[in-house]
Amino acid sequence: MHLACDGRGRPLGFVVTGGNTNDCTQFEQVLAQIKVRRPDPGRPRNRPDHLLGDKGYSSRSIRNYLRKSGIPHTIPERSDQQANRRRRGSNGGRPPRVEAALDDVALFVALLVESA
């Protein structure tokens, strides 16, 4: 069972699948199940105000889907994704941390001074 719930733990939408199905593969289907009735007449809400997810939902396709849908989200990055972005440097999309770049420059200068 794949479940979306609100901040109080009340279920908003769910999808039932086989036992070994990854959560990230059912993400869009679970979000499509969300229907929250409004106090006034009108269509039910189907978009959350903000989405919180764990590292299992930290894929490029899920983040792109949320950005395209206009859903603000907080999902921590996996350490391998952070390492890949640092390894690619300026070609990796979002720039790596400035502190890490400054540390690299300081190390380079120290190596130049030692070799001179």
Side-chain angles (χ1 to χ4, degrees), residues 103-116:
D103 289 344
D104 291 343
V105 170
L107 177 63
F108 180 73
V109 169
L111 290 174
L112 281 178
V113 170
E114 287 179 7
S115 65

Side-chain angles (χ1 to χ4, degrees), residues 3-99:
L3 176 71
C5 62
D6 67 1
R8 295 181 180 177
R10 296 178 293 200
L12 298 175
F14 67 94
V15 174
V16 178
T17 60
N20 290 333
T21 306
N22 289 335
D23 290 336
C24 61
T25 61
Q26 301 301 313
F27 180 77
E28 292 181 29
Q29 289 82 6
V30 172
L31 283 185
Q33 295 294 317
I34 294 177
K35 303 281 187 254
V36 179
R37 204 180 321 163
R38 296 179 188 267
D40 299 328
R43 292 184 316 170
R45 292 185 57 203
N46 58 3
R47 226 181 66 182
D49 291 331
H50 192 91
L51 186 127
L52 298 175
D54 62 6
K55 290 183 181 183
Y57 295 98
S58 180
S59 70
R60 182 178 294 160
S61 62
I62 288 177
R63 289 179 188 275
N64 287 339
Y65 173 79
L66 291 171
R67 283 188 199 107
K68 184 175 69 172
S69 301
I71 300 172
H73 56 279
T74 303
I75 303 172
E77 284 187 311
R78 294 190 311 258
S79 59
D80 65 329
Q81 289 176 332
Q82 292 173 357
N84 286 338
R85 195 175 63 250
R86 278 191 212 101
R87 179 181 50 80
R88 289 191 308 260
S90 62
N91 295 328
R94 202 169 45 146
R97 291 190 350 230
V98 172
E99 296 87 15

